[in-house]
Amino acid sequence: MPHPNSPPRPVSPSLFGLPALQVVGVATFVVSAFFIVFPEADQAAATYFHTGGNGFLLRDGAVHRFVDEWIRPHLKDLVILMLALACVSLASGGRILGRPPRVITFVVLSYAIGPGLLVNGLLKTFIGRARPKQIMELGGDKLFSAAFAPADQCASNCSFVSGDVAYAAATLTFALLLSGTRRRVAVLLSLILTAVTGYYRMAVGAHFLSDVVLAGLFCILIALALHRGLFSRASGPRGAA
């Protein structure tokens, strides 16, 4: 029997009456296939933000400078600090942050596997895709390449996929730890943050549409998969989280 003070198990999320993990999994496959078959969709979407020459809607403006000089660096520092505290708390059995080890593990793995390993460790490192502001069609000197296609147009920190959007999408992890109305509100806020981040990165010429959409889907899918694995009935008795 669960301990009377144990937290309730987070309920598995659903979409349209179906398990969210399967819905997002199918969506990720369909979206990936779309951008592979129709790579021109990326260039078409980028032109909506292109203002001529090498200019983009928000590039080099006050918003761009403020976000890149203040918000982005501090947010990355915050994520690193959060993960460090989570690891220390995990080593203490959850006593430092006052959260069960399974919850801490869920948050740490969601960020480590999604934005960390998959996005920054693999895709941005080995898919040498140039950014929109770098390709010849939009005022740069690099060649355009399709999503998933290995290219030699970028040596490091490349366009595919968006790291900023990945970090934003991974905030879904915290929403999944809630339930009822609080979860729905938190999920909505996480998705709004992800969408706004994606819009901003496209508007400064830093990413293509596929970069932002797939970064979000990948990290949401990872969060849902980890939630299923760590909080499913097979993971232990109710309340063991």
Side-chain angles (χ1 to χ4, degrees), residues 40-189:
E40 63 273 15
D42 268 329
Q43 290 179 287
T47 60
Y48 284 102
F49 299 93
H50 187 230
T51 57
N54 195 226
F56 284 82
L57 186 62
L58 296 180
R59 188 181 182 191
D60 296 329
V63 173
H64 187 190
R65 289 193 296 271
F66 175 73
V67 171
D68 278 25
E69 292 176 10
W70 294 96
I71 296 181
R72 292 181 68 211
H74 292 142
L75 283 178
K76 290 181 179 179
D77 292 340
L78 179 62
V79 170
I80 292 173
L81 176 62
M82 179 193 72
L83 292 178
L85 287 174
C87 290
V88 172
S89 185
L90 190 62
S92 72
R95 290 187 296 274
I96 292 179
L97 293 181
R99 293 292 183 271
R102 191 179 298 184
V103 169
I104 299 171
T105 300
F106 174 50
V107 174
V108 171
L109 288 181
S110 292
Y111 274 90
I113 296 175
L117 177 61
L118 177 62
V119 173
N120 287 290
L122 296 175
L123 296 177
K124 291 179 74 67
T125 299
F126 296 105
I127 304 293
R129 186 186 208 185
R131 298 177 184 275
K133 61 187 177 184
Q134 297 173 325
I135 66 171
M136 291 186 289
E137 292 86 348
L138 300 176
D141 58 1
K142 303 292 184 181
L143 297 176
F144 170 79
S145 57
F148 295 102
D152 60 358
Q153 300 301 298
C154 172
S156 63
N157 191 29
C158 303
S159 186
F160 188 80
V161 290
S162 171
D164 294 81
V165 172
Y167 282 113
T171 60
L172 180 71
T173 303
F174 300 102
L176 294 177
L177 294 172
L178 304 175
S179 60
T181 302
R182 291 195 303 164
R183 173 188 275 186
R184 289 190 287 271
V185 171
V187 167
L188 178 60
L189 292 175

